[in-house]
Amino acid sequence: MEGQASRPLATGAGTSNWFVWKGCRTMQTGYKLLLAATIVSSSIGWSHQVSAQNDTYQIVSTSYQQPLTTVETYVGSKRVETVRYAIGSVDHLNDDLMYSAETDQVVDLKNSKGTVKPVAPAPMRIKKYKNAFYAMSISGFNQFSLTKYSLDFKKIGTTKRYTGFGKELIVTGGKLYVLADHMKGNDYAITLHTFDTTSFKSLHQKTFKQLLQADQIRQDGSQLKIYGISPENDEKLTILSYDVKKQHVTKTMTTNQYVKGGVEKTQILSKDTELIFNQDRMYEINHKTKQVRVLYDGKHDLVDYAYDAKTKTYHVLEEITKTAEFRVKTLNRHFKPIAEYRLKKSDSVRPFRVL
């Protein structure tokens, strides 16, 4: 092996010379290892830098004074494309649809013409299921409505109205689930409504007394994960698992983490863990051990994030509230910042999504 040799048989001065030779040899080997480590370290740093310089992401910004929303494409800090849409006050973007709870308009981003289509006023959620779009809108105080549309947004059937302030919508397995707040005098309850997708017939209602507030709902096989806070644990994240077949709660988990502003987004990380995103931090929840750890704390308000599966990086949109500036931070798979890009201020539009 390198660094090893047959030991001389001589003694005395010869032995001393051997130790000198051996020491020099060891120093040379150590120097080579140090040099190699330096090169590897430099290479890693350099590759991160190059990767950051070639970051590609999009920023969606909207105007609250005029019908204008822009989608800007960036490579690093350089803006390479801007697409404008004649719709304003946009606050939702999902299933390639862009719409606002303050208007009665929607834009299908897959439509190259960017045509603005009319929908029922105040759409809270629009979800695609098979060959149709299902919209849940606020139709009055403590009232939501359901409307079905074709893929070119032609209305199918009639709009149905129900009691409750609709917040979230999931369409799966031929059923439609609406998570809603119910207000009756001083009473306040979180209820899950189940409808069929043909006539919006009400099939079941379930009230969750374990929750004081609910912000997010996610499908997990035959379970629906519902994210909110419980009355007994002041603003600490509580997750319910609801079996849609058995129609009852199978598991309740309350963490030791506060969720300022509620849960904005979630992402599955592994079999047992998922990412929780809100305006304060990015958390990892371990459903097996019930442990929570902070993945990223940007010290500023977190607006949105997008995961790039190709580069295994996270683009986080942040707002520096003191200066009303926005920036994008790129995090590696260990949630360590490797790049930062400040967005140019605009008096006409405000960023609200990163893609």
Side-chain angles (χ1 to χ4, degrees):
M1 296 177 62
E2 181 177 323
Q4 293 182 343
S6 300
R7 182 172 177 174
L9 297 178
T11 59
T15 303
S16 177
N17 290 336
W18 180 82
F19 278 115
V20 171
W21 176 85
K22 186 68 174 179
C24 292
R25 185 66 172 174
T26 302
M27 289 177 64
Q28 291 175 356
T29 302
Y31 174 76
K32 289 180 179 180
L33 291 174
L34 178 61
L35 181 62
T38 302
I39 293 173
V40 170
S41 177
S42 300
S43 298
I44 293 175
W46 181 80
S47 65
H48 276 171
Q49 190 176 24
V50 171
S51 174
Q53 289 176 352
N54 290 300
D55 278 346
T56 300
Y57 56 93
Q58 292 180 307
I59 297 295
V60 186
S61 306
T62 193
S63 170
Y64 298 94
Q65 287 79 39
Q66 56 182 313
L68 173 64
T69 296
T70 63
V71 179
E72 299 173 312
T73 301
Y74 286 83
V75 176
S77 59
K78 184 180 180 180
R79 184 174 58 193
V80 297
E81 183 183 37
T82 300
V83 180
R84 293 175 174 83
Y85 298 92
I87 180 174
S89 300
V90 171
D91 50 9
H92 296 296
L93 203 162
N94 63 270
D95 292 348
D96 294 309
L97 300 177
M98 189 164 60
Y99 51 101
S100 167
E102 297 184 13
T103 69
D104 58 354
Q105 298 175 322
V106 63
V107 172
D108 186 349
L109 296 177
K110 284 189 174 180
N111 185 335
S112 60
K113 296 181 180 179
T115 306
V116 178
K117 298 281 189 176
V119 292
M124 291 295 291
R125 294 292 184 271
I126 304 177
K127 296 293 181 72
K128 183 179 179 180
Y129 179 69
K130 293 186 176 179
N131 294 316
F133 287 113
Y134 294 83
M136 184 267 293
S137 303
I138 300 302
S139 52
F141 177 75
N142 199 35
Q143 185 183 78
F144 68 90
S145 64
L146 297 175
T147 310
K148 185 177 180 179
Y149 298 94
S150 65
L151 294 182
D152 58 352
F153 279 97
K154 292 181 180 179
K155 188 176 177 180
I156 300 174
T158 59
T159 296
K160 299 290 183 69
R161 291 173 173 80
Y162 306 90
T163 300
F165 182 86
K167 299 182 72 175
E168 276 292 348
L169 168 69
I170 282 185
V171 191
T172 181
K175 292 182 175 62
L176 189 150
Y177 302 91
V178 173
L179 186 67
D181 294 344
H182 278 249
M183 293 162 279
K184 188 176 182 180
N186 294 327
D187 293 334
Y188 180 88
I190 306 298
T191 301
L192 182 69
H193 296 258
T194 305
F195 305 93
D196 69 36
T197 54
T198 304
S199 62
F200 296 140
K201 178 183 177 182
S202 179
L203 302 176
H204 188 258
Q205 289 186 27
K206 175 66 177 179
T207 298
F208 302 109
K209 296 182 179 180
Q210 305 96 319
L211 293 176
L212 177 65
Q213 176 184 333
D215 307 291
Q216 191 73 229
I217 184 170
R218 176 178 65 82
Q219 182 183 358
D220 184 14
S222 63
Q223 306 272 324
L224 293 181
K225 300 287 187 182
I226 302 170
Y227 304 79
I229 58 176
S230 64
E232 296 82 10
N233 299 278
D234 185 29
E235 293 191 12
K236 290 186 178 180
L237 176 62
T238 298
I239 304 174
L240 300 186
S241 297
Y242 178 76
D243 192 309
V244 296
K245 293 181 179 179
K246 298 179 180 179
Q247 297 181 339
H248 68 81
V249 175
T250 60
K251 185 179 179 182
T252 302
M253 182 179 77
T254 299
T255 73
N256 62 352
Q257 290 291 338
Y258 292 94
V259 281
K260 176 184 175 183
V263 176
E264 298 289 338
K265 297 172 74 171
T266 66
Q267 176 188 332
I268 299 299
L269 297 177
S270 69
K271 178 182 177 182
D272 299 315
T273 62
E274 69 175 312
L275 185 154
I276 304 293
F277 177 88
N278 76 337
Q279 69 181 70
D280 260 355
R281 300 179 182 90
M282 299 171 79
Y283 304 97
E284 179 193 76
I285 304 290
N286 190 312
H287 289 276
K288 187 175 182 180
T289 64
K290 296 186 178 182
Q291 297 298 309
V292 179
R293 70 185 180 102
V294 176
L295 298 173
Y296 175 68
D297 184 347
K299 307 303 180 184
H300 296 287
D301 283 350
L302 306 185
V303 181
D304 190 36
Y305 88 94
Y307 176 65
D308 189 333
K310 292 182 179 179
T311 60
K312 295 183 179 179
T313 56
Y314 296 81
H315 298 299
V316 183
L317 176 62
E318 301 182 352
E319 180 182 8
I320 306 170
T321 53
K322 290 184 179 180
T323 59
E325 293 178 297
F326 290 85
R327 68 184 180 187
V328 173
K329 272 193 175 180
T330 299
L331 314 179
N332 63 17
R333 61 189 181 93
H334 302 295
F335 295 90
K336 302 298 182 183
I338 59 174
E340 177 180 325
Y341 313 106
R342 289 184 179 267
L343 303 179
K344 186 177 179 180
K345 276 190 174 184
S346 172
D347 294 328
S348 57
V349 292
R350 177 184 175 88
F352 75 96
R353 284 288 181 271
V354 58
L355 305 175

